[in-house]
Amino acid sequence: MSTESSTLKTLIIGSGPAGYTAAIYAARADLRPVLYTGIEPGGQLTTTTEVDNFPGYPEGVDGPAMMVDLQKQAERFGTEVMIGMATAVELSKEVGGTHKVTIDNNKILETKTIIIATGASAKYLGLPSEQRLRGGGVSACAVCDGFFYKEQEVAIVGGGDTAAEEATYLANICKKVTMLVRKDHMRASKAMQHRVNAKDNIDLRYNCEIDEVLGDQLVEGLRIVNNQTGIKEEISITGLFIAIGHKPNTEIFKDQLEMDNDGYLITVGKSTKTNYPGVFASGDVQDKEYRQAVTAAGTGCMAALDAERYLASIESL
Ligand code: NDP
């Protein structure tokens, strides 16, 4: 294990909209940020096709292309973008202290501030047919991709608030939405359930699970199974939305940073401050409610401003 000789001002972990926006602001503030991309450079947007809801792109933008642009913008101001994964952290509780971050289990970086933008990953069912058709009709984001299924028949799996909210969203766009809930009840709040029940074009199926996603290059249907009776049935759809929850990428911060019961980082008030001085969290890793590229970018900007102010305050100590 080697330790880099100089201490960084700002280390950014993660390369989605939050990480790159933090980098743009930090670089322009002369913090000479170093950004480590993580295992999925560009983050969740690289798994989507067209992004239609990011302001400033009247014709929409290709998700992976937008992330390349964000990277270039961050680099233009001097951000050093590095491929690598933060695998461990040793945070200092002292104001003005130095934090240590291990990269790829073989290099230790020392830094005065850390901006965490490691995001969250959508959970998938894990069926081989589902994995094969990701990007070919299987999506984990109705708000991102629902529009492409306008007037078509789609299905959504999950029974929580996200599934209920997304089913309602899809019902406004699509001809029919089949909602598959594995239990005999939904976990979603009553208010959300009422919204689902109020939609005539949502076909709610309890005790139903997906046996296989049908289709070669594109989704053509589902084979579903009633887990009470074992009866299988095929339905025709062109889009399948998985809404069974997200997992924040916070494993390496356990036992140090404060998290809620689902593992999302807790920030102080309206800031991006965590319970460690000089450690800031932005994007989906601290937001289970909005989870949009534009909101992630907003909190990335906030984290860079918080880091800049923190560095100014410790310099004057
Ligand atoms: P949840 O963990 O609350 O719900 C996940 C749902 O997916 C459950 O119904 C669960 O079923 C189901 N599920 C999990 N694994 C599988 C599987 N393998 N096959 C089939 N179904 C499966 O996640 P959400 O993303 O819905 O919500 C996360 C948090 O965000 C919650 O606290 C929620 O309240 C909040 N939220 C709030 C919103 C709002 O207030 N507007 C909007 C969206 C989210 P089971 O019940 O059987 O475990």
Side-chain angles (χ1 to χ4, degrees):
M1 188 91 69
S2 66
T3 303
E4 295 283 291
S5 52
S6 59
T7 301
L8 302 173
K9 281 188 173 179
T10 300
L11 174 68
I12 299 168
I13 311 175
S15 56
Y20 280 132
T21 306
I24 293 165
Y25 274 78
R28 283 167 57 86
D30 237 0
L31 306 186
R32 296 190 298 279
V34 173
L35 178 150
Y36 272 86
T37 59
I39 205 162
E40 187 179 59
Q44 290 179 69
L45 278 188
T46 57
T47 64
T48 186
T49 44
E50 198 155 305
V51 180
D52 271 340
N53 54 8
F54 200 91
Y57 296 98
E59 305 302 326
V61 57
D62 177 66
M66 182 172 126
M67 296 320 299
V68 170
D69 281 349
L70 275 174
Q71 176 174 346
K72 283 187 195 154
Q73 195 174 351
E75 286 175 329
R76 180 176 147 215
F77 300 109
T79 304
E80 197 179 337
V81 176
M82 306 287 287
I83 307 278
M85 180 90 184
T87 47
V89 291
E90 196 185 315
L91 304 176
S92 167
K93 273 237 145 150
E94 237 176 88
V95 174
T98 301
H99 309 291
K100 292 182 181 171
V101 178
T102 307
I103 304 292
D104 293 333
N105 293 313
N106 65 20
K107 178 169 75 176
I108 295 175
L109 299 178
E110 295 188 334
T111 181
K112 288 292 173 189
T113 64
I114 302 177
I115 294 176
I116 300 167
T118 47
S121 306
K123 292 186 197 161
Y124 284 86
L125 301 169
L127 296 169
S129 53
E130 169 208 47
Q131 292 304 308
R132 184 167 48 79
L133 289 161
R134 275 174 67 178
V138 174
S139 163
C141 179
V143 181
C144 320
D145 297 328
F147 183 77
F148 303 114
Y149 303 92
K150 205 171 174 178
E151 297 301 331
Q152 299 177 33
E153 299 197 5
V154 299
I156 185 161
V157 54
D161 280 329
T162 302
E165 192 171 69
E166 296 202 340
T168 314
Y169 178 86
L170 290 168
N172 289 332
I173 305 170
C174 304
K175 196 158 123 195
K176 181 179 171 191
V177 181
T178 302
M179 183 168 180
L180 304 168
V181 179
R182 68 178 172 183
K183 289 195 178 132
D184 64 359
H185 61 274
M186 287 168 72
R187 190 194 291 194
S189 63
K190 287 283 177 237
M192 290 289 195
Q193 293 192 37
H194 290 321
R195 284 201 223 166
V196 169
N197 291 325
K199 291 280 178 198
D200 290 340
N201 61 341
I202 297 182
D203 179 13
L204 192 50
R205 305 281 196 99
Y206 288 111
N207 295 315
C208 266
E209 292 178 45
I210 297 177
D211 191 41
E212 194 171 348
V213 188
L214 307 172
D216 188 14
Q217 306 286 324
L218 296 171
V219 171
E220 291 168 9
L222 294 179
R223 185 164 58 241
I224 56 176
V225 56
N226 182 306
N227 58 27
Q228 298 299 301
T229 62
I231 294 173
K232 292 185 181 178
E233 177 191 347
E234 287 189 6
I235 59 168
S236 272
I237 52 149
T238 49
L240 170 65
F241 293 88
I242 312 290
I244 61 171
H246 281 74
K247 192 178 171 302
N249 300 317
T250 52
E251 202 61 37
I252 58 169
F253 307 109
K254 274 199 176 127
D255 304 324
Q256 296 181 75
L257 293 181
E258 271 177 23
M259 300 176 189
D260 70 9
N261 289 338
D262 297 320
Y264 286 86
L265 297 181
I266 293 175
T267 49
V268 181
K270 287 184 178 171
S271 78
T272 63
K273 293 174 190 165
T274 67
N275 56 316
Y276 275 70
V279 181
F280 307 94
S282 61
D284 287 10
V285 75
Q286 50 85 57
D287 169 24
K288 66 179 165 197
E289 197 165 336
Y290 300 104
R291 294 199 297 247
Q292 298 301 301
V294 68
T295 50
T299 55
C301 157
M302 288 162 61
L305 295 177
D306 284 340
E308 186 188 351
R309 285 173 195 155
Y310 170 80
L311 286 164
S313 74
I314 61 171
E315 271 160 25
S316 60
L317 282 181

